[in-house]
Amino acid sequence: MKAKPSPRLSRRLILGAAGALALTPAAYAHRPLSVLSTIEWNPTTKTIEVIHRLHAHDVEVGIEQIGGGGVIDLSTVRGQAQLIVYLEPRFVLTTPQGPVQLEIVGAELDGLEAIVYQEVRSDEPWAEVTVDDQILRDVFDRQTNLVNIHMGKATRTLIFAGQDGPKTARRLL
């Protein structure tokens, strides 16, 4: 027969756990530095669509730090253009057929997010793609970027942090 813990011990465990939880929010007070990019084949338009979601403040601070034209205002067309000029060489896709030339569809500010839209014509989803995602990683040491790739019925996720270079997602169909 197993002995039951005393009510006093159980109370101590509960109070200890509650105390530990009360102290942990300070550790989560800082928002993580991250960019979410999605690559998806659209069978209706026969395009590969790329959408980048960035925290607007990170973009403003980051572009200013690398000397990208001083303080930028992402609510303006000029500020969105500065973001696009910064982003294009830092997010590169390559298929087995060669480098992919993404076209800019647009950019917008949505609340605290800056969103950039790109696309490339493709009659079918890609079976393989290599991604090199350096967005804001040249500015922030703790920057971590997540790339979700949806092709056909398959989804792959690539995570970029630290000194990570290009990564390849295969068997996407």
Short mmCIF file of all heavy atoms in Angstrom, two decimals, residues 36 96 139 148:
data_model
loop_
_atom_site.label_atom_id
_atom_site.label_comp_id
_atom_site.label_asym_id
_atom_site.label_seq_id
_atom_site.Cartn_x
_atom_site.Cartn_y
_atom_site.Cartn_z
N LEU A 36 8.48 35.61 -39.42
CA LEU A 36 7.77 34.45 -39.95
C LEU A 36 7.60 34.66 -41.44
O LEU A 36 7.00 35.64 -41.88
CB LEU A 36 6.41 34.29 -39.28
CG LEU A 36 5.48 33.23 -39.91
CD1 LEU A 36 6.12 31.84 -39.81
CD2 LEU A 36 4.12 33.26 -39.26
N PRO A 96 16.42 23.43 -57.79
CA PRO A 96 17.42 22.71 -58.58
C PRO A 96 17.64 23.35 -59.97
O PRO A 96 18.69 23.16 -60.58
CB PRO A 96 16.85 21.30 -58.70
CG PRO A 96 16.04 21.14 -57.45
CD PRO A 96 15.43 22.50 -57.22
N VAL A 139 21.53 42.19 -37.85
CA VAL A 139 21.34 43.28 -36.90
C VAL A 139 21.26 42.76 -35.45
O VAL A 139 21.93 43.28 -34.57
CB VAL A 139 20.06 44.08 -37.21
CG1 VAL A 139 19.86 45.21 -36.22
CG2 VAL A 139 20.08 44.61 -38.64
N ASN A 148 7.90 28.63 -43.10
CA ASN A 148 6.97 27.52 -43.35
C ASN A 148 6.78 27.40 -44.86
O ASN A 148 6.48 28.38 -45.54
CB ASN A 148 5.61 27.78 -42.70
CG ASN A 148 5.66 27.59 -41.20
OD1 ASN A 148 6.40 26.74 -40.70
ND2 ASN A 148 4.89 28.38 -40.48
#
